[in-house]
Structure formats: structure tokens, C-alpha cells
Amino acid sequence: MNAPTEGESPLRDGTSSSASRVPKQLSDLQKTITMAQIAKAAGVSQGAISSLLNDRDYGIRVSERTRERVFKVCREMGYIPNDLRAVVRMYPELGDFCLLLGNGATGGLRDPFAHRLAVAAMEAIPDPSHPLSLALYDESRDYSAQQELPHPISAGTFSKFLFHGHPNPSLIDILARRGLPLVSLGYDAAHPGVTSFLADYASASLAAIEHLVELGHQHFGIISGSFGSTHPKVLELNHGVSQACERFHLPIEAQHIAYGDLSESAGQTALDEIFSHQPAPTAIFAMSDSAAIGALNRAQARGIKVPGELSIVGCSDDAGASSSYPRLTTVHLPAEEMAQAGIKEIDRLVREGAADAPRKTSLPVHLVRRDSTGACLVQKV
């Protein structure tokens, strides 16, 4: 049995040995190996070995290349630390999955898109029990001092991270220094070693407006994000609206653009604002399903027939879109596809290692036609 590493802590099951959590093929390799032997084989000091295995800075700075060399030697020698945290750092394929959600997302898992990501990620994990932990992180906090890190990172037993939210550079740097795979879902994280999966938001706007044009609509209302928003999703959706107007030679009057937080209540307010100006549009594109459903409900309360007098298209394809009345036509944003691709990418990164340059993949969107859109029956003068 190996001697305990410095800083050893009990495992979550109450034992002090990692053997119960290590696959049999690794346990079979276990034998008495000293830090001195590892240091000699790797060509580094014993202090460097201790620093790496315990994920602590003992005044010895260890480069990424040295870390990789040391861990490679440990694996080849069949060394298995007694501390589960060290096992996970050395054998990241044994660590747990975690989905980190940025605190900028409203409501955490109450946000329909985040909920879809979590469910799909859990289903995509190959383990029969589909284990996935969730945690929030502060998008703007400086974590470089490694104080009060999100629990899955400070615990040291998680090695496979996905995140959904604005990238936090200090958090990404900490995970990168540990050599852990990291995948961003829905946000472009332009950091070395990070893979990002994005939705083609501009194409979502194009698909929605093209559908309405094909139905004969020429006068549109737009429910956009908060005025002046710099959120990448809102910017890209607005860009798609501009592209669609140019492509189809559409006039979009400023008075028919409503801004808000894209919640259901914002959609209700937007409907009233848009219809306070005449002539009113015959179709509305809302940049979220929640806002679209709010607008739909408010239209019905005002006696506006949907889709007879007004067609409404949402954006996301969340669960509420198929249960509204009438059922909401929307553009499917690929939350499930992102999560599934993210789990597969983490598996690849564990096996092959992260690339030096960031990677980015844009996943396609598609229109889901339901009952809230129909042919334009109102002739505008």
C-alpha cells in the first residue's frame, strides 16, 4: 500500500483509502512506490511531487509540461495515491462530472434553457446512474486567490467540467492549471484548452422571420432583450433580425421594437407597447419563449386572435412552448445537442488532452412550427 500523501483527507464514504473508488485494473497495479522513486524517474524534486499530488503551492512552481511528465510517470509506474483528490488529478477519467451555472442566469435551474442543459447532460453521461453535480459560480469574481471556490472545484474530486454562463477567466485558469477538461455551453470561451458549443442565434432570427414572410406578413413587432444589452445571445439575435430585414426588404419601425428582460411579464408589457402604435403589426418575433408566451397571453386578454389577427414566434423551444394555447411556434435552440456534444468532448479531452488553442463549434437551429402562426389575413395600407 502506498504511503499517504501529504494533506490526505477522508473520502466521502468515510474511508481514508481511494482503493474502493479505483477500478480493479488500477488496484491491481498498486504497489509500494515512494515519492523518491517517482522524483528520480520524472527528474524533479520530491517537493515538486508533493506539490502536484496535493494541489498545493509549497513555494515550488511546477510547469504544465512538468505536471504532465510527473503524472505520466506515476501512471506508468502504477502509483495510486491514498488521497482521492490526488487520484482524480492523476486519473481524470475517474473524477465526477459537474455543470457550473453562472450567477447571471436568472433562477438557476428555473431558467428553462439551463434546465434543458442539465437534463440532457445527465442523460448523456455513460454511467448507469448518470451522476452530475450542479453548482453556481460568480461570473465577475476574481478566484485567483483560490478562496471560496465553488465546492466541486475546491473538493478536488471532480475532473470533468461543463459551464453555462459568462466565462470567468480566473476560474478557467485554475482548472486549466490542473489539466482538467472544460467545455462551455452557449458562450464563447476564448481561452486556451476550452471547447465552446454555441447556438447559431443569428440564424434563429432569420428562420423565424423567414417563416412569417412566407405566410405573407410584412409588418413585424420585435421583442428584444434589455435596451443596450451586450449579452452575446441578444447581440446575435438582433444581428439576425437586421440580416432578415435586409434580405426580405422589410421595414422594422422603431416604435414596434420593445425591450425588456425577455421574461413572461416583459412579453405582456411589450405587447401593450407595440399595439399602442398604429397601424399595429400582424406578426411578432420574441427572442425568448417566455416573452412570446407573455405576449400571446396578453393578446388573447385584449381580444386579439392568435393566429387569426396576430402571429407570434418564440425562440428556444422550451417545454412551455408545446403546452401553451395555442401551442407556440418557435425556433429550436440546441440545448440538448450542446450538452450531449459537451459530454462527448470531455471524454475526448480526458483521453487526448486539451489543445493549446480554444475550439468553437456552432450548432444549427431549426424552426418548430406549431399553432401560433398562420397566414396574414390583414391587409395593410
Side-chain angles (χ1 to χ4, degrees):
M1 187 67 139
N2 297 322
T5 61
E6 296 179 32
E8 177 179 337
S9 65
L11 305 187
R12 286 175 294 177
D13 61 4
T15 69
S16 61
S17 171
S18 61
S20 62
R21 294 291 304 274
V22 178
K24 186 176 185 300
Q25 62 268 30
L26 291 184
S27 298
D28 291 343
L29 292 173
Q30 197 165 8
K31 51 190 175 183
T32 302
I33 300 169
T34 66
M35 284 192 181
Q37 290 172 316
I38 297 172
K40 181 178 179 181
V44 298
S45 68
Q46 292 188 49
I49 300 296
S50 182
S51 179
L52 282 168
L53 294 181
N54 292 283
D55 193 29
R56 294 177 182 173
D57 183 1
Y58 295 110
I60 302 171
R61 297 193 64 81
V62 181
S63 69
E64 182 177 348
R65 182 173 297 180
T66 299
R67 177 186 59 78
E68 292 176 354
R69 183 171 74 252
V70 169
F71 283 179
K72 182 174 184 292
V73 167
C74 289
R75 294 175 72 116
E76 290 174 347
M77 296 177 71
Y79 176 75
I80 302 174
N82 288 341
D83 189 337
L84 178 58
R85 295 168 298 176
V87 172
V88 169
R89 286 192 292 276
M90 194 177 303
Y91 302 93
E93 64 271 23
L94 302 181
D96 295 326
F97 284 90
C98 176
L99 173 60
L100 295 168
L101 298 174
N103 62 349
T106 304
L109 278 185
R110 291 193 297 274
D111 175 80
F113 194 82
H115 183 267
R116 289 168 58 196
L117 286 174
V119 171
M122 178 176 261
E123 291 176 346
I125 294 172
D127 187 294
S129 61
H130 304 287
L132 176 70
S133 291
L134 302 172
L136 295 176
Y137 71 93
D138 190 324
E139 296 177 343
S140 60
R141 181 171 185 168
D142 183 3
Y143 288 104
S144 57
Q146 299 197 33
Q147 295 178 349
E148 299 184 17
L149 288 168
H151 172 72
I153 299 177
S154 62
T157 56
F158 294 80
S159 63
K160 304 164 186 175
F161 289 90
L162 307 102
F163 72 89
H164 174 64
H166 285 287
N168 181 307
S170 63
L171 208 57
I172 292 175
D173 286 342
I174 289 171
L175 294 171
R177 287 200 304 269
R178 297 181 183 183
L180 299 177
L182 183 61
V183 170
S184 172
L185 304 178
Y187 292 77
D188 185 8
H191 295 264
V194 181
T195 299
S196 303
F197 290 100
L198 311 173
D200 189 349
Y201 296 118
S203 291
S205 296
L206 280 168
I209 293 177
E210 180 177 25
H211 169 63
L212 294 171
V213 168
E214 289 174 348
L215 292 173
H217 297 278
Q218 293 292 316
H219 296 270
F220 296 87
I222 303 293
I223 302 177
S224 182
S226 300
F227 184 78
S229 172
T230 58
H231 194 289
K233 175 181 176 180
V234 174
L235 292 176
E236 285 298 307
L237 287 167
N238 283 328
H239 180 59
V241 169
S242 297
Q243 288 181 312
C245 291
E246 183 177 348
R247 178 179 299 183
F248 301 113
H249 308 290
L250 298 173
I252 297 290
E253 296 89 350
Q255 63 187 11
H256 287 157
I257 302 176
Y259 301 94
D261 61 7
L262 295 177
S263 64
E264 186 168 338
S265 61
Q268 294 173 352
T269 301
L271 189 283
D272 285 335
E273 180 180 343
I274 289 171
F275 270 74
S276 68
H277 303 283
Q278 296 297 323
T282 62
I284 287 178
F285 169 53
M287 294 183 182
S288 77
D289 284 348
S290 295
I293 291 171
L296 188 157
N297 292 339
R298 183 59 182 156
Q300 292 176 323
R302 292 180 52 149
I304 301 170
K305 297 179 181 178
V306 178
E309 298 173 281
L310 177 68
S311 288
I312 299 177
V313 180
C315 185
S316 194
D317 196 20
D318 299 328
S322 60
S323 58
S324 64
Y325 183 79
R327 297 181 309 147
L328 183 67
T329 295
T330 186
V331 180
H332 175 81
L333 298 182
E336 293 77 14
E337 295 87 337
M338 282 184 195
Q340 292 162 6
I343 296 297
K344 290 181 180 178
E345 176 67 3
I346 285 180
D347 179 63
R348 187 193 69 80
L349 292 171
V350 167
R351 289 183 287 104
E352 302 177 11
D356 292 335
R359 301 180 65 202
K360 179 171 67 174
T361 299
S362 183
L363 301 179
V365 302
H366 64 268
L367 183 81
V368 181
R369 181 169 181 171
R370 296 194 178 101
D371 308 322
S372 65
T373 55
C376 180
L377 303 178
V378 180
Q379 297 299 318
K380 295 290 182 179
V381 179

